[in-house]
Amino acid sequence: MNKIFGIILPYIMLAFVGIINTIEFEYKVIVAALILGFLIGIWFYCLHKSEGTVMMKLGIIFSLIIFVVALVLGMLNLHLEMLSQLSSMFAMLIGMECMGLYIVSKNKPRLNMTYKYSYRNKRRRYF
């Protein structure tokens, strides 16, 4: 479950910022900052608890590539208003994805007890 949230939560943050930009109320920035801070904390907690498998690393790298391309498109193309509004969020997500990749790379997957490993271990113990 932590792996799924580790991949999906940046996109949820992006959708939240996109929705909050369309709504107008007085303390929009404060509410957005509080909810984004909460989501970022949950995201880092999920990444800390998930194993650093190859698929998890590839998912984070794929998200990082998507965010870099979206940032470049948002900076170069002024015709798409939504991309230019979200470019600051893309820049923040790029930094967060780099830190997330570092966290996931440090989490080693659990060792599997293969037959070869258990046989060697048993041989060392009993002989």
Side-chain angles (χ1 to χ4, degrees), residues 69-81:
V69 168
L71 178 67
V72 170
L73 286 176
M75 290 171 55
L76 295 179
N77 190 0
L78 299 176
H79 300 294
L80 297 173
E81 186 65 31

Side-chain angles (χ1 to χ4, degrees), residues 7-57:
I7 298 295
I8 292 176
L9 268 171
Y11 296 104
I12 293 173
M13 287 183 249
L14 197 59
F16 172 74
V17 170
I19 291 170
I20 203 88
N21 279 339
T22 60
I23 302 170
E24 290 294 327
F25 59 94
E26 191 172 344
Y27 297 109
K28 178 173 76 169
V29 176
I30 295 171
V31 171
L34 286 174
I35 294 175
L36 278 177
F38 180 70
L39 288 174
I40 290 169
I42 290 173
W43 185 64
F44 279 127
Y45 178 76
C46 289
L47 286 181
H48 182 69
K49 292 292 182 180
S50 66
E51 296 175 359
T53 59
V54 174
M55 291 304 287
M56 186 69 180
K57 291 175 189 175

